[in-house]
Amino acid sequence: MDSEKIKEEMSMCYLQAIAAVNGIALERYHHDDDSTDVTLNKIVFPDGMEYNSQIRVQLKSTSSPSQYAIKEDEITYKLKVKNYNDLCMPSVMPSMLALLILPENEHEWVAWDINELLLRGQMYWICLQDNEKSGNENTVSIKIPKNHILNNMTINNLIEKAAKEGTL
């Protein structure tokens, strides 16, 4: 398996783990022509009402500093124009980009010992819905706020917000 496919699988593993610990179902799509790799689904009860909450997710992963830059308050990432434009489209289901940034050295991505399995890296999220589409040919540099960390706490907040507000 080539390095890009491994990174793709690493992003899937990361999201699957944090979704599972929150009882959020993750449905994987094998063809993502609309820039949707997975949907997250959960019945939630914010404000005492029952909602079937769903979020579409485009997963990306990188370990290459040529693809991203970490600044004081944001992360800049070069996203393919097709993915950007797909994620900008209005939709009845909220969508987001989830970007996993792995260490540059692939030997540092996973560590194992008798007590734990550790996946090193950090996942960030951004909702691009309702942004203007880009006329660029190849990539769009997007800015993700550094505080948009996707972890086992924030994923539940996002699924509840999607249920209550229909947006992220």
Side-chain angles (χ1 to χ4, degrees):
M1 189 180 320
D2 73 7
S3 180
E4 292 307 308
K5 187 68 175 165
I6 292 169
K7 289 181 213 176
E8 181 182 321
E9 291 298 321
M10 296 288 289
S11 65
M12 184 67 67
C13 290
Y14 183 106
L15 186 60
Q16 204 160 21
I18 64 172
V21 79
N22 280 285
I24 298 169
L26 183 145
E27 184 176 342
R28 186 174 187 170
Y29 296 93
H30 295 287
H31 302 287
D32 69 336
D33 294 336
D34 65 347
S35 298
T36 302
D37 290 310
V38 300
T39 55
L40 302 173
N41 307 290
K42 184 176 182 181
I43 304 284
V44 295
F45 299 90
D47 307 326
M49 294 186 62
E50 182 178 32
Y51 294 89
N52 183 353
S53 186
Q54 298 180 323
I55 300 173
R56 292 183 321 118
V57 183
Q58 170 70 58
L59 289 166
K60 293 292 179 189
S61 182
T62 187
S63 62
S64 173
S66 67
Q67 291 297 111
Y68 73 95
I70 298 177
K71 299 177 181 171
E72 187 174 325
D73 295 331
E74 66 190 18
I75 292 143
T76 304
Y77 175 69
K78 294 178 185 175
L79 181 64
K80 291 179 184 174
V81 170
K82 190 238 187 280
N83 296 134
Y84 177 84
N85 287 338
D86 286 350
L87 291 168
C88 288
M89 275 192 269
S91 174
V92 295
M93 183 188 309
S95 65
M96 70 177 176
L97 170 72
L99 171 66
L100 178 62
I101 298 178
L102 294 162
E104 196 171 350
N105 181 344
E106 66 185 66
H107 299 292
E108 297 175 8
W109 294 353
V110 175
W112 177 91
D113 69 33
I114 193 103
N115 296 312
E116 66 185 0
L117 173 65
L118 179 65
L119 186 149
R120 291 191 177 99
Q122 185 65 43
M123 188 172 271
Y124 299 90
W125 69 274
I126 189 164
C127 178
L128 299 169
Q129 280 182 285
D130 301 325
N131 282 13
E132 296 230 1
K133 287 188 174 186
S134 174
N136 292 7
E137 287 187 30
N138 298 314
T139 63
V140 176
S141 288
I142 61 166
K143 295 177 185 334
I144 304 171
K146 261 177 102 173
N147 65 351
H148 278 208
I149 297 167
L150 191 56
N151 60 33
N152 62 332
M153 294 169 285
T154 59
I155 195 171
N156 211 44
N157 295 340
L158 288 169
I159 203 93
E160 287 188 11
K161 183 174 174 141
K164 289 193 292 189
E165 301 173 21
T167 185
L168 301 175

